[in-house]
Amino acid sequence: MRSEIENFKDCKSIAIMGGTFDPIHYGHLATAEAVRYRFKVDKVIFMPTGNPAHKSDRYVTHHEHRYLMTVLATMRNENFDVSRIEIERPGITYTIDTIQTLKKMCPPDARLYFITGADALHQIFTWKEPEKLLKMCDFVAVTRSGYDKNKLFDEITEIRDKFASRIHYMQVPGLEISSSDIRNRVENGRPIKYLLPQEVEDYIYKFGLYENCVKKEVKFMLTKEVMKEKLQSALSVKRYIHTMAVAQEAMKLAEIYAATQEKQKAEIAALLHDCAKDYPEELKLRLCKEYHIPLDEILKKQKDLIHPFLGAEVAKREYLVEDEDILNAIRYHTTGRKNMSLLEKIIFLADYIEPNRAPFDGLEEARRLAYLDLDMAMRYTLEHTIAYVKERNLMLHPLSLEALEYFKNK
């Protein structure tokens, strides 16, 4: 983020070109250049969305692909820049949050123009804090030739009466190009050349994007390399070192107890088990509300226990993990639960015994038991964890008590 502040700190005017860019094409680029010339802005900032609030009805290609395609498309124009503000913000993407962030990064007197389609103005009062947004920046409603802007003003009287001075209209070249058409063309083996920059076309074919959209909606998951890159940004150095050690330990346990497929799942679950651990407390609570994660009285009072439950949802939304066993291994790696799967036990124990753990009473015995019998190790670690919590007068989650009772009777 600091590098982006350097990019914007001297700008007196900026146009923001938001969108999923799935993929970016010449229509986007032509529109951006037309706005840049018309309003004489210093820069046009392309802003790929993270989890767009108004795109929840369809699968959206992972933001790292969309970001990189946007960089490739804009790199030859020195007046264009690409921002990671929205893709690095956890949770749902709202325009008001982006504009507020940009305001802080630009000079106080900088003027912001937000580029949108004229049709989108019909929906603007369904956006988050629309009136505040309309006061913070100018809107450039781009249209194709023949669009009746007077009819639009008649239909949206509230905008006309209060904010007409902040709404600008301009026609752009009538390029009949759409991202959905490009996706359909790729899926059906039809050409996309000359609809988008060659670099973007090459990227699409290199990574097999859009070749089978139905299948990818179910199966696509980030590669381990991309996961690690994201985790390095999301976690402290200490937490990232711990995460890698847990992954190493989980794979060793899986080598003994699990089939080949389980080994792969163990590594993914271990990599992501603490993916939400370093989120600020306020953000954790906001995301739990946004993602409809129920918080019982213990989680509300002992907020450090929130991260595994939130982490499972982040793994699903941000890292595109759909395997329920992996998600449950993340969800219960701190509390445990009764009837734990093999993968859940492996992640729970790998987190407990990973090699970088500072020595504590019972650690070596837990390590010994983990390589003899997982159920014995689970009982032992749960007993020590519960004793530790009680000694410090912390609140114990009932899932842990249920888990211990289960392993005692097994």
Side-chain angles (χ1 to χ4, degrees):
M1 200 70 76
R2 283 192 293 270
S3 63
E4 292 196 5
I5 292 176
E6 292 300 312
N7 290 344
F8 306 150
K9 69 178 183 179
D10 296 323
C11 293
K12 295 296 184 181
S13 59
I14 288 177
I16 301 102
M17 182 81 174
T20 51
F21 302 126
D22 194 15
I24 190 169
H25 53 69
Y26 280 132
H28 296 128
L29 299 172
T31 297
E33 180 62 16
V35 171
R36 186 200 66 79
Y37 179 79
R38 161 82 178 274
F39 295 96
K40 302 295 186 288
V41 297
D42 296 321
K43 279 185 179 293
V44 178
I45 309 301
F46 287 75
M47 191 81 64
T49 55
N51 294 310
H54 290 276
K55 295 284 186 178
S56 58
D57 58 335
R58 77 164 180 87
Y59 174 75
V60 177
T61 302
H62 189 264
H63 55 244
E64 290 295 343
H65 285 312
R66 296 185 285 107
Y67 171 78
L68 290 172
M69 286 190 287
T70 307
V71 169
L72 290 170
T74 58
M75 62 185 181
R76 299 184 188 280
N77 190 327
E78 63 181 8
N79 299 307
F80 289 173
D81 206 341
V82 185
S83 172
R84 295 181 63 89
I85 288 175
E86 291 197 350
I87 67 174
E88 290 186 349
R89 181 190 300 127
I92 301 298
T93 295
Y94 295 104
T95 301
I96 183 69
D97 299 328
T98 299
I99 297 300
Q100 288 175 328
T101 300
L102 279 173
K103 283 279 190 182
K104 296 175 183 177
M105 298 165 70
C106 298
D109 59 344
R111 189 165 186 175
L112 303 186
Y113 296 86
F114 187 82
I115 305 170
T116 185
D119 291 339
L121 290 179
H122 287 283
Q123 301 177 333
I124 196 167
F125 284 102
T126 69
W127 296 12
K128 181 181 177 183
E129 301 182 63
E131 294 198 3
K132 183 177 180 181
L133 179 61
L134 284 160
K135 292 175 181 177
M136 291 178 66
C137 65
D138 290 57
F139 273 69
V140 180
V142 295
T143 72
R144 289 183 170 85
S145 58
Y147 191 91
D148 189 347
K149 67 180 182 182
N150 292 322
K151 179 181 178 182
L152 178 65
F153 260 20
D154 288 342
E155 292 174 350
I156 311 178
T157 56
E158 192 168 359
I159 291 180
R160 179 194 62 196
D161 295 340
K162 293 183 179 180
F163 305 106
S165 63
R166 304 302 297 269
I167 306 292
H168 311 276
Y169 285 86
M170 63 177 297
Q171 295 179 357
V172 296
L175 298 174
E176 297 299 327
I177 304 175
S178 73
S179 296
S180 60
D181 179 59
I182 291 172
R183 295 194 300 271
N184 289 333
R185 283 172 172 271
V186 174
E187 186 172 11
N188 294 309
R190 297 163 60 200
I192 58 174
K193 190 172 292 293
Y194 307 125
L195 299 178
L196 70 181
Q198 184 65 49
E199 295 87 350
V200 178
E201 180 183 358
D202 293 342
Y203 186 97
I204 289 170
Y205 290 131
K206 177 180 178 180
F207 289 95
L209 304 184
Y210 317 126
E211 288 180 357
N212 190 335
C213 294
V214 175
K215 181 179 179 182
K216 283 182 180 293
E217 184 167 347
V218 177
K219 299 294 186 181
F220 180 76
M221 182 171 69
L222 300 191
T223 65
K224 286 181 287 187
E225 289 70 24
V226 174
M227 286 184 183
K228 291 174 184 177
E229 289 177 6
K230 284 174 62 63
L231 288 168
Q232 284 180 306
S233 299
L235 303 177
S236 67
V237 172
K238 182 178 179 181
R239 184 66 52 191
Y240 183 75
I241 292 172
H242 162 74
T243 293
M244 299 308 295
V246 174
Q248 176 187 344
E249 197 70 39
M251 292 175 70
K252 289 168 64 178
L253 290 171
E255 190 72 34
I256 297 172
Y257 297 106
T260 301
Q261 185 179 7
E262 293 292 321
K263 296 175 193 174
Q264 298 170 352
K265 290 165 63 172
E267 184 177 11
I268 298 300
L271 285 173
L272 300 180
H273 81 286
D274 270 353
C275 63
K277 177 77 171 181
D278 286 343
Y279 285 4
E281 185 178 293
E282 182 180 344
L283 177 60
K284 288 179 183 176
L285 294 174
R286 180 169 67 81
L287 290 179
C288 284
K289 182 177 180 181
E290 197 168 281
Y291 296 159
H292 306 291
I293 300 171
L295 299 180
D296 56 34
E297 289 305 311
I298 293 176
L299 293 179
K300 289 177 182 177
K301 293 178 180 178
Q302 200 157 307
K303 297 180 178 62
D304 190 53
L305 291 176
I306 291 175
H307 80 272
F309 300 96
L310 175 59
E313 193 65 29
V314 170
K316 183 176 181 179
R317 292 170 179 263
E318 295 290 326
Y319 295 83
L320 308 183
V321 176
E322 296 185 346
D323 187 293
E324 282 299 321
D325 200 15
I326 294 176
L327 296 176
N328 282 332
I330 297 168
R331 187 174 287 118
Y332 301 110
H333 81 266
T334 300
T335 61
R337 65 167 177 166
K338 61 183 180 181
N339 298 315
M340 293 175 75
S341 71
L342 172 61
L343 181 61
E344 290 175 51
K345 289 184 280 190
I346 286 173
I347 300 305
F348 184 98
L349 291 169
D351 183 40
Y352 195 86
I353 68 172
E354 60 97 346
N356 292 328
R357 284 285 187 196
F360 61 86
D361 182 42
L363 176 59
E364 291 306 317
E365 180 63 8
R367 285 174 173 158
R368 186 185 73 83
L369 290 174
Y371 285 89
L372 290 177
D373 186 295
L374 285 181
D375 289 345
M376 289 175 59
M378 284 299 306
R379 174 174 174 172
Y380 181 84
T381 56
L382 283 165
E383 287 175 338
H384 273 253
T385 299
I386 290 170
Y388 175 89
V389 170
K390 288 181 176 178
E391 285 173 8
R392 285 155 182 78
N393 294 318
L394 299 173
M395 299 184 72
L396 187 65
H397 201 281
L399 285 172
S400 298
L401 293 172
E402 291 177 8
L404 177 56
E405 192 65 24
Y406 171 79
F407 285 107
K408 278 184 176 179
N409 296 325
K410 192 170 181 181

